[in-house]
Amino acid sequence: QCVLSGSWRSDTGCRMVVSVLGKDGRFSGSYLPGPVANSPEILTSPLEGFQQDAGLVQQPTFSFTVRWRHRETAQMTAFLGQCYVGTDGDETLHALWLLREAADSPTEDWKATR
């Protein structure tokens, strides 16, 4: 069974620490981007999310948001994925993400999402 709580590292060197999951699947923690972010201005940022009830499936889905603590811009990222357990027992997370920056106006909205 996949357990989301704990410390995780991505292929690009990002680090995520997830607190113990609540009975309702809610969790919080912190996220720090890896060297690919190339910005010393980005600090460890808070995250909050939910994991599907692991009692229902052994490889649950999850979602969380990161509210970036960045000195220059207002950004948030949403992650949506699934926790997998390999045949060797190793747990891996596969996720898609969407980053949103604050736009100055509705006409600038198109370039605010990556």
Side-chain angles (χ1 to χ4, degrees):
Q1 182 173 351
C2 204
V3 179
L4 193 59
S5 60
S7 183
W8 299 88
R9 182 177 299 274
S10 75
D11 294 341
T12 59
C14 298
R15 293 188 314 257
M16 177 175 75
V17 176
V18 175
S19 66
V20 176
L21 294 167
K23 290 182 181 181
D24 62 353
R26 184 183 308 254
F27 63 88
S28 60
S30 60
Y31 195 93
L32 182 65
V36 293
N38 265 346
S39 177
E41 301 293 317
I42 298 178
L43 307 170
T44 300
S45 300
L47 67 83
E48 292 188 28
F50 286 93
Q51 176 180 314
Q52 179 183 20
D53 185 351
L56 297 176
V57 294
Q58 291 193 2
Q59 301 183 115
T61 58
F62 62 86
S63 66
F64 64 91
T65 57
V66 174
R67 182 177 47 91
W68 296 107
R69 292 181 57 217
H70 192 285
R71 293 186 179 104
E72 296 175 10
T73 61
Q75 299 177 337
M76 291 191 73
T77 301
F79 293 80
L80 180 64
Q82 188 167 356
C83 186
Y84 291 102
V85 180
T87 55
D88 56 2
D90 285 346
E91 298 170 332
T92 59
L93 304 180
H94 290 238
L96 300 172
W97 59 270
L98 193 61
L99 179 122
R100 177 65 188 214
E101 296 179 293
D104 292 331
S105 69
T107 57
E108 300 293 312
D109 188 64
W110 65 272
K111 65 180 183 178
T113 303
R114 294 185 230 161

